[in-house]
Amino acid sequence: MRRYSQQKRFLFAVDCIIFGYDGQELKLLVIQRGFEPFKGKWSLVGGFVLDNESAEDAAARVLKSLTGLDGLYMEQLHAFTNVDRDSVERTISVAYFALIDIQKYKQQINEDFHPVWFPINVYPELIFDHAKFVELAKEKLRYKAALHPLLFELLPPKFTMPELQNLYQCVYNIDFDKGNFNRKLLSTNLLVKLKDKDKLNSKKGAFYYKVNSKKYNADFNSFLNFVPTQYLNKKV
Amino acid sequence: MRRYSQQKRFLFAVDCIIFGYDGQELKLLVIQRGFEPFKGKWSLVGGFVLDNESAEDAAARVLKSLTGLDGLYMEQLHAFTNVDRDSVERTISVAYFALIDIQKYKQQINEDFHPVWFPINVYPELIFDHAKFVELAKEKLRYKAALHPLLFELLPPKFTMPELQNLYQCVYNIDFDKGNFNRKLLSTNLLVKLKDKDKLNSKKGAFYYKVNSKKYNADFNSFLNFVPTQYLNKKV
DNA sequence: TCAAAAGTGTTCACAGTACACCCATGC
DNA sequence: GCATGGGTGTACTGTGAACACTTTTGA
């Protein structure tokens, strides 16, 4: 029952699970805390929610402070509320996962953070229940990217089909047939073929594509079924 | 940055979006508040999270107090955190949606609640941002039920194929072909055909089925694609 | 015997898959 | 010219959609 005055108040934080893709594999950005408590321990970036901001605002602020970037793809993952999850004092944490073009990422000068990218499956022990956050975020990424054109957020504005295919292969840990992959992606009309080629990764060179942002924004919530559903729950 | 002592504390509540199905249509359970503030106004059931419980615990407690039922299907929907969402004092609310077999539901004697089932698309104005909760929950229900065998939670232990089909038709607001629907559902092996028939709703009578709970629990996270994906975003 | 609803069978179109093949280029 | 990886063509298969058809029973 809602008797406001008699209720207990709690600390309220956000934490961000930040994914990047370096062309080879999926990465997770974590920080080594430069301050107490838990100085030197690995952790997700996070912070307390201020009086005048929503959790979304707080997450965006934290993301910006770490990456220098605005307008990152960001989505609420889950509210973690276990009584003992924070060993200092009871704290509710709303977790957000974010996708970033790793090439745009610039490490900010910040004495509090020592951020490091780790491969998504080989990251150090994290404080509190942050490892649970990461595992849930990985699951959600796989789930959602199978249905929505999400992974483009991890790529630079110009990318090639083989790059895109490799990204999907990283996320789902399976190999796709290049012919079928190309046709499927092109059939969405989400991609615009550019005139120039990437000649670094092959002799023949692969054409660059960019996202048709108009269609991307309109169709984001349409379902694409990029990935056969039986693979979604495959253990890595 | 995590300087605990200097941080502000906030109120922390849960609210439940409770769906039921009466054989005809999808329903939403809301209460008319019997206490101040906002006495007489319509609201989702909710409550503050106590010192010794997680949000899940609190939501289960609230659900039980309203329905008398334990172990309802319940899932975290979203944390709502806007600064001004609660007009009395800043409160974070974690919303849960729950599915209940409306026949099991027994109204509890409780002077604080006057619960009423409303059709999912015709419910009264709700306090705070609760209408937003409901709309998001409806969306999530449609999304998730298209991929997972979720809607059985709304049915009694024994149900017929036409009943099940009608439920899906309610949720998605489209008609399915009974032949294709039957085959699709049966091909999942989630259903066990019983010996007896429901003779109330047709002359011929329709066989009862029950859920194969072993397979149900094992395969809940497998993808079933009950519903063609283009219907998922259809406006009702 | 007829109407109504349950349940089955059958056809067709198309999307996903596998895989062979062609193309462009650097060495 | 040949190895390498990009890109295209094609045949096969299984699933989903449409819809005709049969079954059962109450009135």
Side-chain angles (χ1 to χ4, degrees):
Chain A
M1 270 134 294
R2 298 185 177 269
R3 314 254 186 271
Y4 283 77
S5 58
Q6 303 158 20
Q7 299 301 326
K8 179 109 190 210
R9 273 80 177 155
F10 301 100
L11 283 171
F12 176 31
V14 293
D15 289 292
C16 297
I17 300 97
I18 305 175
F19 293 115
Y21 171 68
D22 63 3
Q24 301 304 311
E25 51 179 357
L26 261 188
K27 295 287 183 69
L28 172 72
L29 190 59
V30 298
I31 61 166
Q32 192 163 25
R33 290 159 67 94
F35 51 92
E36 295 298 345
F38 307 108
K39 185 170 173 174
K41 297 266 196 258
W42 296 99
S43 161
L44 297 172
V45 242
F48 288 107
V49 176
L50 307 179
D51 219 4
N52 61 346
E53 61 180 8
S54 66
E56 281 76 15
D57 295 338
R61 171 172 57 77
V62 162
L63 280 174
K64 170 134 200 202
S65 77
L66 185 67
T67 66
L69 300 173
D70 269 322
L72 293 179
Y73 180 88
M74 196 186 87
E75 183 178 342
Q76 190 184 117
L77 178 65
H78 194 77
F80 293 89
T81 64
N82 277 354
V83 175
D84 297 320
R85 54 165 302 278
D86 186 314
S87 53
V88 178
E89 178 181 337
R90 181 165 191 188
T91 306
I92 286 94
S93 172
V94 179
Y96 287 82
F97 82 87
L99 303 179
I100 126 171
D101 169 6
I102 214 166
Q103 294 179 27
K104 269 201 208 155
Y105 166 76
K106 293 271 156 46
Q107 191 167 324
Q108 297 300 294
I109 311 302
N110 191 321
E111 66 209 18
D112 283 340
F113 304 143
H114 299 276
V116 180
W117 289 101
F118 283 95
I120 201 72
N121 292 316
V122 192
Y123 56 88
E125 197 181 326
L126 304 176
I127 61 165
F128 303 153
D129 47 357
H130 284 189
K132 236 169 56 184
F133 296 17
V134 174
E135 293 307 307
L136 190 63
K138 279 160 61 177
E139 208 178 286
K140 179 133 184 197
L141 178 66
R142 291 160 62 95
Y143 189 106
K144 188 138 190 187
L147 300 165
H148 303 273
L150 195 63
L151 299 183
F152 299 109
E153 303 285 350
L154 290 164
L155 291 172
K158 281 168 59 175
F159 52 86
T160 66
M161 276 295 181
E163 279 168 8
L164 185 58
Q165 184 179 344
N166 185 58
L167 171 56
Y168 273 87
Q169 294 182 164
C170 286
V171 172
Y172 294 102
N173 225 46
I174 47 172
D175 289 335
F176 295 98
D177 178 273
K178 62 182 168 173
N180 299 333
F181 185 87
N182 277 19
R183 269 185 294 266
K184 194 161 196 175
L185 271 284
L186 291 177
S187 73
T188 64
N189 291 317
L190 281 170
L191 300 182
V192 180
K193 191 175 191 170
L194 302 178
K195 295 247 159 56
D196 50 335
K197 281 183 166 187
D198 162 43
K199 308 270 298 182
L200 291 171
N201 296 298
S202 74
K203 293 166 187 166
K204 184 177 176 181
F207 280 104
Y208 281 115
Y209 289 82
K210 63 170 185 172
V211 172
N212 175 344
S213 36
K214 201 166 170 184
K215 188 148 177 64
Y216 178 74
N217 291 319
D219 288 8
F220 184 79
N221 279 307
S222 73
F223 287 67
L224 296 167
N225 260 75
F226 278 145
V227 179
T229 49
Q230 76 261 27
Y231 292 117
L232 285 183
N233 295 296
K234 206 180 145 213
K235 289 275 171 237
V236 187
Chain B
M1 272 135 288
R2 298 186 178 271
R3 315 253 186 271
Y4 285 76
S5 57
Q6 304 157 20
Q7 297 302 326
K8 179 106 192 213
R9 274 80 177 154
F10 301 99
L11 284 171
F12 176 32
V14 294
D15 289 290
C16 298
I17 300 97
I18 305 176
F19 292 114
Y21 171 67
D22 63 3
Q24 301 305 311
E25 51 178 356
L26 262 187
K27 295 287 183 72
L28 172 71
L29 189 59
V30 297
I31 61 166
Q32 193 163 23
R33 290 161 68 95
F35 51 92
E36 295 297 343
F38 307 109
K39 184 169 174 176
K41 296 265 196 254
W42 296 100
S43 161
L44 297 171
V45 243
F48 288 107
V49 176
L50 305 179
D51 219 3
N52 60 347
E53 62 179 9
S54 67
E56 280 76 16
D57 296 336
R61 171 172 55 76
V62 162
L63 280 173
K64 170 136 198 201
S65 77
L66 185 66
T67 66
L69 301 173
D70 269 323
L72 292 179
Y73 180 88
M74 196 186 87
E75 185 179 339
Q76 190 183 117
L77 177 67
H78 194 78
F80 293 88
T81 65
N82 277 354
V83 176
D84 297 320
R85 56 166 298 282
D86 186 316
S87 52
V88 179
E89 177 180 338
R90 180 165 191 186
T91 306
I92 287 93
S93 172
V94 179
Y96 288 82
F97 82 87
L99 304 179
I100 126 169
D101 170 6
I102 214 166
Q103 295 178 27
K104 269 202 206 152
Y105 165 77
K106 292 270 158 43
Q107 191 167 324
Q108 297 301 292
I109 311 300
N110 191 320
E111 66 209 18
D112 283 341
F113 303 145
H114 300 276
V116 179
W117 290 102
F118 282 96
I120 199 71
N121 291 316
V122 192
Y123 55 87
E125 198 183 326
L126 304 175
I127 61 166
F128 301 154
D129 47 357
H130 285 190
K132 234 167 61 181
F133 296 18
V134 174
E135 293 307 308
L136 190 63
K138 280 160 61 177
E139 207 178 287
K140 180 135 182 194
L141 178 66
R142 291 159 62 96
Y143 189 107
K144 189 141 189 186
L147 300 165
H148 303 275
L150 195 63
L151 299 184
F152 299 109
E153 304 285 349
L154 290 165
L155 291 172
K158 281 168 62 175
F159 52 86
T160 65
M161 276 295 180
E163 279 168 10
L164 186 58
Q165 184 179 341
N166 185 57
L167 170 55
Y168 273 88
Q169 293 182 167
C170 286
V171 173
Y172 294 102
N173 225 45
I174 45 172
D175 291 333
F176 295 100
D177 178 274
K178 62 183 169 175
N180 298 332
F181 186 86
N182 277 19
R183 270 185 295 266
K184 194 162 195 175
L185 271 284
L186 290 175
S187 73
T188 64
N189 291 317
L190 281 171
L191 300 182
V192 180
K193 190 175 190 168
L194 302 178
K195 294 246 161 56
D196 51 335
K197 281 185 168 185
D198 162 42
K199 308 271 295 183
L200 289 171
N201 296 299
S202 72
K203 294 166 186 168
K204 184 177 177 182
F207 279 104
Y208 281 116
Y209 288 83
K210 63 169 185 170
V211 172
N212 176 343
S213 38
K214 202 166 170 183
K215 188 146 176 64
Y216 178 74
N217 291 319
D219 288 7
F220 183 79
N221 279 307
S222 73
F223 286 67
L224 296 167
N225 260 74
F226 279 145
V227 179
T229 48
Q230 76 263 26
Y231 292 116
L232 286 182
N233 295 296
K234 202 181 148 212
K235 289 278 170 233
V236 188

